[in-house]
Amino acid sequence: WIQFGISEKVRQSTANGYIDIYDRYIKPFLGHRSITEIDVNEIDAWLVHLKAIGLSASTRKKARQTCNTIFKFAIRKRLALQNPVLHSQVPANEPGYVTQVQEPLTLKESHSYLERFRETDLDLFIYLALFTGMRRGEIIGLNWSDIDLDALTIAVKRTAKETTLKRSDGTSKTELVLNPPKTSHSKRTIPIHPPVLLAIKRQQNRQRKQKLKAGSAWQDTDAVFASELGTRIYPSNFYKRYVKLIKQTDLRYVRPHDLRHTVAVLGLDAEIPIEEISRLLGHS
């Protein structure tokens, strides 16, 4: 399945995610069983065990979905006659489950975000998120060469994502990969408005200071959002920094992706045509 069952159409980082789920949650519990001997009762027992060891419903659903694709592949290759996953119990959210999705910011809250983050290293991130609705991965994936200060446009050409890779000794490591935008609509050109232009210039000044401080240790990656040594920042580290800064303020917490929702809602409230909002966000 790993060699021939995962579609060549999916990105390598996505494929690595499927393999990681298999290695963590499927192989240790079902890997010793012949695929023709596994029935729906065993799948249900496996899912119950995953719940017992503390896995969330979301993780259990991903494990079940991955197991489903393995059985579908086995049937296609005539290695199995039936798919017991189809008749297994779908994991449900626990009572009292609260979604991570937050209510979009109000216009007043958005202004507060812009103001409070302005003197931090996430200044430009917040401006881009709230003025353009770009995804976190798209913002972190930006290169300086994507920003045209003459035409006042930003070209969305890639997205940054972390992927887990298996080493030959069985251990794993996390790497940052740059993928092309997910769809043709996601690859787009966004106008730079005056407040964003000022934020870009502030970011340029910050990075110049970083470069001077790093000296010969600086790595010129062209990344707009770089570490103290010039390497591109990992999305997970970026998020930790984001949460830490919010805790230092009285701002209401929303996820970075909720900033994108905020752009859509405020745009609709301002009676901007939905087609324009759709193009800005890179939707079809």
Side-chain angles (χ1 to χ4, degrees), residues 118-188:
R118 179 166 174 164
E119 300 305 321
T120 74
D121 51 338
L122 298 194
D123 173 26
L124 179 57
F125 175 84
I126 298 299
Y127 269 82
L128 288 173
L130 286 175
F131 273 87
T132 72
M134 290 173 66
R135 300 173 177 89
R136 177 178 60 169
E138 292 172 342
I139 295 176
I140 297 174
L142 275 178
N143 287 343
W144 286 111
S145 55
D146 301 325
I147 301 175
D148 189 333
L149 295 181
D150 294 324
L152 292 179
T153 58
I154 296 172
V156 180
K157 297 180 178 179
R158 71 193 66 78
T159 182
K161 183 179 180 180
E162 291 173 43
T163 182
T164 302
L165 300 175
K166 295 285 288 186
R167 296 190 179 99
S168 57
D169 62 359
T171 60
S172 60
K173 64 176 180 177
T174 301
E175 288 187 349
L176 183 68
V177 295
L178 297 176
N179 291 319
K182 200 165 188 177
T183 67
S184 59
H185 294 92
S186 297
K187 190 175 183 179
R188 60 202 187 279

Side-chain angles (χ1 to χ4, degrees), residues 62-274:
K62 289 178 182 177
R64 181 181 180 274
Q65 183 179 11
T66 303
C67 194
N68 180 50
T69 65
I70 293 173
F71 272 95
K72 286 172 66 177
F73 172 72
I75 292 172
R76 183 163 63 86
K77 288 292 186 178
R78 299 183 179 179
L79 300 173
L81 295 177
Q82 59 181 348
N83 182 353
V85 180
L86 293 178
H87 304 291
S88 64
Q89 188 72 32
V90 179
N93 292 324
E94 295 78 5
Y97 169 78
V98 179
T99 177
Q100 294 182 351
V101 177
Q102 303 294 314
E103 282 293 316
L105 299 178
T106 64
L107 186 59
K108 183 179 180 180
E109 287 177 317
S110 298
H111 282 294
S112 296
Y113 258 68
L114 294 169
E115 181 182 346
R116 299 299 291 274
F117 274 93
R118 179 166 174 164
E119 300 305 321
T120 74
D121 51 338
L122 298 194
D123 173 26
L124 179 57
F125 175 84
I126 298 299
Y127 269 82
L128 288 173
L130 286 175
F131 273 87
T132 72
M134 290 173 66
R135 300 173 177 89
R136 177 178 60 169
E138 292 172 342
I139 295 176
I140 297 174
L142 275 178
N143 287 343
W144 286 111
S145 55
D146 301 325
I147 301 175
D148 189 333
L149 295 181
D150 294 324
L152 292 179
T153 58
I154 296 172
V156 180
K157 297 180 178 179
R158 71 193 66 78
T159 182
K161 183 179 180 180
E162 291 173 43
T163 182
T164 302
L165 300 175
K166 295 285 288 186
R167 296 190 179 99
S168 57
D169 62 359
T171 60
S172 60
K173 64 176 180 177
T174 301
E175 288 187 349
L176 183 68
V177 295
L178 297 176
N179 291 319
K182 200 165 188 177
T183 67
S184 59
H185 294 92
S186 297
K187 190 175 183 179
R188 60 202 187 279
T189 300
I190 296 173
I192 297 175
H193 295 288
V196 178
L197 178 60
L198 293 176
I200 289 172
K201 292 181 176 179
R202 292 195 297 271
Q203 180 69 4
Q204 286 177 323
N205 288 332
R206 288 191 190 94
Q207 199 169 97
R208 288 192 191 101
K209 293 177 181 177
Q210 284 180 305
K211 190 172 183 178
L212 286 173
K213 186 176 180 180
S216 60
W218 180 264
Q219 299 180 44
D220 194 2
T221 61
D222 197 37
V224 173
F225 294 93
S227 69
E228 294 177 351
L229 297 180
T231 56
R232 197 179 305 272
I233 297 178
Y234 276 55
S236 59
N237 291 335
F238 207 95
Y239 177 71
K240 290 175 185 175
R241 176 68 174 154
Y242 172 81
V243 172
K244 182 179 180 180
L245 289 172
I246 287 182
K247 287 181 178 178
Q248 295 173 358
T249 71
D250 56 355
L251 297 172
R252 178 171 67 88
Y253 167 79
V254 296
R255 304 169 308 151
H257 201 73
D258 296 316
L259 302 178
R260 179 172 164 83
H261 296 168
T262 296
V263 172
V265 171
L266 294 182
L268 292 172
D269 287 347
E271 298 185 352
I272 296 174
I274 193 169

